[in-house]
Amino acid sequence: MNKVTIALLQHSCGDNVSKNLDKALGMIDSAARKGAQIIATQELFKSRYFCQQESYDFFRLAEPVTERSVTIKELSLLAKKRKVVIAASLFERVAGGVYYNTTAVLDADGKYLGKYRKMHIPDDPQFYEKFYFAPGDLGYKMFKTRYADIGVLICWDQWYPEAARLTALMGAQIIFYPTAIGWLPADKKEYGERQHASWETIQRSHAIANGCFVAAANRIGREPNSEKGKEGIEFWGQSFVADPYGSILKRSSTEKEEALIVAIDLDVIETKRVQWPFLRDRRIDSYGGILNRFNEE
Amino acid sequence: MNKVTIALLQHSCGDNVSKNLDKALGMIDSAARKGAQIIATQELFKSRYFCQQESYDFFRLAEPVTERSVTIKELSLLAKKRKVVIAASLFERVAGGVYYNTTAVLDADGKYLGKYRKMHIPDDPQFYEKFYFAPGDLGYKMFKTRYADIGVLICWDQWYPEAARLTALMGAQIIFYPTAIGWLPADKKEYGERQHASWETIQRSHAIANGCFVAAANRIGREPNSEKGKEGIEFWGQSFVADPYGSILKRSSTEKEEALIVAIDLDVIETKRVQWPFLRDRRIDSYGGILNRFNEE
């Protein structure tokens, strides 16, 4: 047995950034006391999901993400104090006009291990991320932490088997997905159930295809939209952890603020990959067309 | 509405090859009379799943797959007569020592459109396919048939997001998976349920990731193993069709011989891909590592 206990933070966010941060820090502290060793936040956990609107005002929420930056230092202190690994999703500012959707990873001694910048950026009604974020330029990442080798991908990346594959091929045993996904109230009746099912299914499939654990942390709550006639987004929660067979080990509720704490056995990865040796039989000689947008005649 | 009706044949197989063929021809004929326009067989439908054992004897089951070969001509006549597209999975012999696991496609006028050779070949206890089949050398395929543009992948290919992606990027609206998968009785209690769940989940995920239909035809029945102490395989049936949201439109039983006939609306593909524009945001500049077996440090 090679056990590690992970936790996914799922909470609502208000207008006050420092209150949101305090809430997350409190949840990390509490999860650590309950035995969590690797803890991931939801996407952009310090603020409301501002990408619902295109507004210049929200760029003031962005901050540097380096080992010396304010939020990273605060997270680092807590990581060290509680001996926990933290994957924290932040709105990164590099320079005026250069912003990313970024997740930083702190090791259990507080050391800043680096960051991943969201590679796949959506642009859909009320998810106007292309307005705010440049596409990630650091590629896929694997972080060797004290408790496990982890990968981090972010929300829209969830829909791309390529991103999960590449992260797993770097050696990630667990892929964390900080997420902010929910229903538009007008769509919920017709599409809500299958949107959620699609979301869960494709992430379970990444666990199956790659023989790794997948852990998605989503936010909860209805967040208003300042534009006239827009009803906001109802985030669907349901953070979950799937094992290498794609089985859901544990799932949060749709509405409850909670840290989903799950003990997993990393040895299952090797067992599964020996039983179903998908990596052995990949036809790497035949995948060149993946590098095209579409293979037109 | 751009409707097409597809059918997946699910049946047991006995020792007698010509009886198995007659059964499948009868099921094609019957499905066509019920309105099916594109009909796919299960994997290697003319015989028992001989790959349970490694035996030189079974190579006699192999046959040429060309527009002039015997089985293709017979299927072609039926395709023309009933105005149906047929995707038929056959054990192909090219020369002594050169055999493939192949699916041929006949158009609704009986024309032979070509073949796909299984790219990913398994080798697991009682699934000794590497002994029988050379890995496919024709790459991924899209066939423009009278009723739809279809792709064909075969069984073990199911586990590879790359194969589905490449087939969809060629323009396939429906990906058919002739399959022979089942439980080893000794494993069924511990792993049976999640093996089946993994299999269905990953194929649903291909429909989601690519915004296409997925249709998997599996065999049924317990087939004996001639080796001492081996209990054979219990094929789990449950052929199914999933729509571009990954929703299962219809699923066969575990044990009943049947043609699963499903009317689908090809216009859903465009609707889904507009709603969830995953293909737009693929980071093709970042996928080079997919062409490696593993990205070692």
Side-chain angles (χ1 to χ4, degrees), chain A residues 283 285-287, chain B residues 65 92-95 97-103 112 114-121 133-141 143 152-154 157 170:
Chain A
R283 287 294 303 274
D285 60 306
S286 73
Y287 298 158
Chain B
V65 177
E92 181 182 13
R93 179 187 183 280
V94 173
V98 182
Y99 306 86
Y100 296 101
N101 188 329
T102 296
T103 295
Y112 170 75
K115 60 193 165 190
Y116 165 78
R117 289 173 174 157
K118 189 173 184 174
M119 291 290 282
H120 301 87
I121 309 292
F133 312 121
D137 55 357
L138 301 177
Y140 307 94
K141 291 282 182 178
F143 302 95
V152 176
L153 293 167
I154 303 170
D157 291 325
M170 297 175 83

Side-chain angles (χ1 to χ4, degrees), chain A:
Chain A
M1 298 285 273
N2 185 3
K3 285 243 177 184
V4 58
T5 300
I6 65 178
L8 303 174
L9 306 190
Q10 168 174 305
H11 58 87
S12 63
C13 288
D15 273 337
N16 188 316
V17 167
S18 68
K19 280 192 182 164
N20 295 328
L21 176 60
D22 285 347
K23 182 189 281 188
L25 293 173
M27 290 176 80
I28 291 171
D29 192 76
S30 158
R33 288 166 185 272
K34 290 175 186 157
Q37 296 167 296
I38 307 176
I39 302 174
T41 72
Q42 63 198 31
E43 188 180 14
L44 301 168
F45 73 97
K46 285 181 63 181
S47 65
R48 285 207 167 133
Y49 183 70
F50 53 84
C51 315
Q52 275 203 67
Q53 303 98 181
E54 294 200 1
S55 165
Y56 301 130
D57 294 342
F58 292 120
F59 285 96
R60 70 179 159 69
L61 295 171
E63 60 186 318
V65 178
T66 70
E67 61 185 321
R68 289 170 307 280
S69 61
V70 177
T71 303
I72 292 299
K73 278 166 76 178
E74 195 155 8
L75 290 163
S76 167
L77 282 173
L78 183 55
K80 187 176 179 181
K81 180 177 167 197
R82 291 287 169 223
K83 298 187 179 60
V84 290
V85 173
I86 301 175
S89 166
L90 299 163
F91 182 14
E92 181 182 14
R93 179 188 182 280
V94 172
V98 183
Y99 306 86
Y100 296 100
N101 188 330
T102 296
T103 295
V105 178
L106 291 309
D107 208 353
D109 59 1
K111 188 181 173 201
Y112 170 73
L113 293 179
K115 60 193 166 191
Y116 165 78
R117 288 174 173 158
K118 188 172 183 173
M119 292 290 283
H120 300 89
I121 309 293
D123 189 307
D124 278 309
Q126 292 179 238
F127 293 84
Y128 303 114
E129 296 198 18
K130 288 192 198 296
F131 175 72
Y132 293 100
F133 312 120
D137 54 357
L138 301 178
Y140 306 94
K141 291 281 182 179
M142 189 274 285
F143 302 95
K144 286 188 165 293
T145 76
R146 181 180 296 180
Y147 306 115
D149 295 344
I150 69 170
V152 176
L153 294 167
I154 303 170
C155 205
W156 194 242
D157 291 325
Q158 283 155 345
W159 303 104
Y160 296 86
E162 293 92 342
R165 177 71 96 202
L166 284 159
T167 302
L169 291 185
M170 297 176 83
Q173 296 170 299
I174 312 164
I175 303 177
F176 289 92
Y177 286 94
T179 302
I181 192 167
W183 295 295
L184 302 185
D187 284 357
K188 188 178 175 186
K189 194 174 169 199
E190 184 174 357
Y191 293 109
E193 197 178 318
R194 58 181 146 159
Q195 284 173 346
H196 173 261
S198 294
W199 176 78
E200 200 174 84
T201 299
I202 200 156
Q203 291 179 87
R204 290 172 58 205
S205 85
H206 302 327
I208 296 164
N210 297 296
C212 64
F213 290 86
V214 163
N218 191 27
R219 69 173 62 205
I220 54 163
R222 173 82 165 263
E223 295 188 13
N225 189 310
S226 58
E227 284 176 51
K228 206 183 155 194
K230 293 281 174 61
E231 294 185 283
I233 300 176
E234 185 184 331
F235 294 95
W236 66 46
Q238 303 183 67
S239 304
F240 70 90
V241 177
D243 74 7
Y245 297 89
S247 303
I248 304 259
L249 298 177
K250 210 166 174 184
R251 186 194 290 113
S252 299
S253 68
T254 50
E255 294 177 349
K256 209 177 123 198
E257 207 149 82
E258 57 185 315
L260 187 72
I261 300 177
V262 186
I264 63 176
D265 178 4
L266 297 175
D267 286 345
V268 172
I269 294 169
E270 188 102 4
T271 304
K272 156 67 161 62
R273 289 186 184 179
V274 168
Q275 288 174 343
W276 271 351
F278 304 147
L279 298 182
R280 180 192 66 193
D281 295 334
R282 294 179 66 237
R283 287 294 303 274
I284 54 178
D285 60 306
S286 73
Y287 298 158
I290 295 269
L291 308 184
N292 300 331
R293 175 79 50 218
F294 200 82
N295 293 309
E296 299 163 82
E297 283 169 87

Side-chain angles (χ1 to χ4, degrees), chain B residues 181-241:
Chain B
I181 192 167
W183 294 296
L184 303 186
D187 284 357
K188 188 178 175 185
K189 194 173 169 200
E190 184 175 358
Y191 293 109
E193 198 177 316
R194 59 179 144 159
Q195 284 173 346
H196 174 260
S198 294
W199 175 79
E200 199 173 84
T201 299
I202 201 157
Q203 291 179 88
R204 290 172 58 204
S205 85
H206 303 326
I208 296 164
N210 297 296
C212 64
F213 289 86
V214 163
N218 191 27
R219 68 172 63 204
I220 53 163
R222 173 84 164 262
E223 296 188 12
N225 189 310
S226 58
E227 284 177 51
K228 206 182 154 195
K230 294 280 175 61
E231 294 184 283
I233 300 176
E234 186 183 332
F235 293 96
W236 68 44
Q238 303 184 67
S239 303
F240 70 90
V241 177

